Amino acid sequence: MYNKTRNRGLAFVEMGSEEEALAALNSLESYEYEGRILRLAYARPKKKKAPPPVQQKTVTFNIFVGNLSYEARAKDLREFFDSGSGSVVSAEVIFHDNPRKSAGYGFVSFKSKREAEAALSEFQGKNFMGRPIRVARSKQFVKQPVEESARSEDESSETSVNGVEADKAD
């Protein structure tokens, strides 16, 4: 079906044996059915998609960056915080959907807690694209890989902004 509204005009038929399939193919090829000429062919298996590349499962330390210029983009933010150290894992500027415009804040992820803490003190109040930025620990300061953070309910707990164990939500 096309968009669940219009029939595509094709079907798959599974036969009991190869002989039955060959007989159907030979007898029904170019047969007229309800005003349409049938074309038959053996179905080919779907091509398997290549598995996604394996990404390193590293813990990242995230900081919130506020008071961004509306012209700021992730590339600009990354370059500003990276400043040659190579410690920035990723940078993201948050956008509203409709109309698509910057929300004026973003997030920067670092490889280590030490680098994130250094960035918090070093970049607080610095001018970025003509505006003094605010930096703080992200609500999800420590972000662990999904597989590692998926623990049993008995062991699960979330880390709060200050790194202190938070109460489990029941």
Side-chain angles (χ1 to χ4, degrees), residues 5-170:
T5 58
R6 190 173 146 228
N7 190 335
R8 291 178 64 179
L10 64 91
F12 291 93
V13 178
E14 189 173 327
M15 304 301 286
S17 68
E18 286 184 43
E19 293 80 26
E20 289 178 8
L22 182 60
L25 188 73
N26 290 333
S27 65
L28 295 175
E29 179 64 34
S30 299
Y31 182 81
E32 186 174 330
Y33 178 75
E34 294 185 3
R36 297 181 79 179
I37 303 295
L38 297 180
R39 285 183 280 153
L40 303 172
Y42 286 106
R44 291 183 295 272
K46 281 187 174 181
K47 293 180 183 176
K48 292 185 179 180
K49 293 181 181 176
V54 178
Q55 296 176 351
Q56 289 183 342
K57 295 178 171 101
T58 57
V59 176
T60 57
F61 298 87
N62 307 303
I63 63 171
F64 167 85
V65 183
N67 199 32
L68 291 177
S69 166
Y70 293 117
E71 288 78 38
R73 298 295 178 258
K75 178 185 168 203
D76 303 322
L77 195 59
R78 183 183 186 117
E79 288 172 359
F80 182 72
F81 276 85
D82 207 10
S83 61
S85 67
S87 61
V88 173
V89 174
S90 68
E92 177 182 17
V93 174
I94 305 302
F95 285 86
H96 294 294
D97 284 333
N98 201 358
R100 183 167 164 77
K101 72 175 205 174
S102 174
Y105 68 94
F107 299 93
V108 179
S109 301
F110 292 88
K111 294 177 185 175
S112 72
K113 183 177 181 179
R114 180 181 51 79
E115 292 164 338
E117 295 290 350
L120 283 171
S121 60
E122 181 183 344
F123 290 98
Q124 184 66 266
K126 272 198 170 179
N127 275 331
F128 175 64
M129 298 182 84
R131 298 181 67 132
I133 59 170
R134 291 187 330 267
V135 293
R137 285 182 166 202
S138 169
K139 287 183 182 176
Q140 213 178 29
F141 180 61
V142 179
K143 187 170 184 178
Q144 297 181 347
V146 176
E147 289 79 23
E148 290 180 22
S149 62
R151 294 180 282 177
S152 70
E153 197 172 304
D154 298 339
E155 299 173 2
S156 74
S157 62
E158 294 183 10
T159 305
S160 72
V161 172
N162 296 326
V164 180
E165 295 281 318
D167 293 334
K168 280 197 319 189
D170 290 315

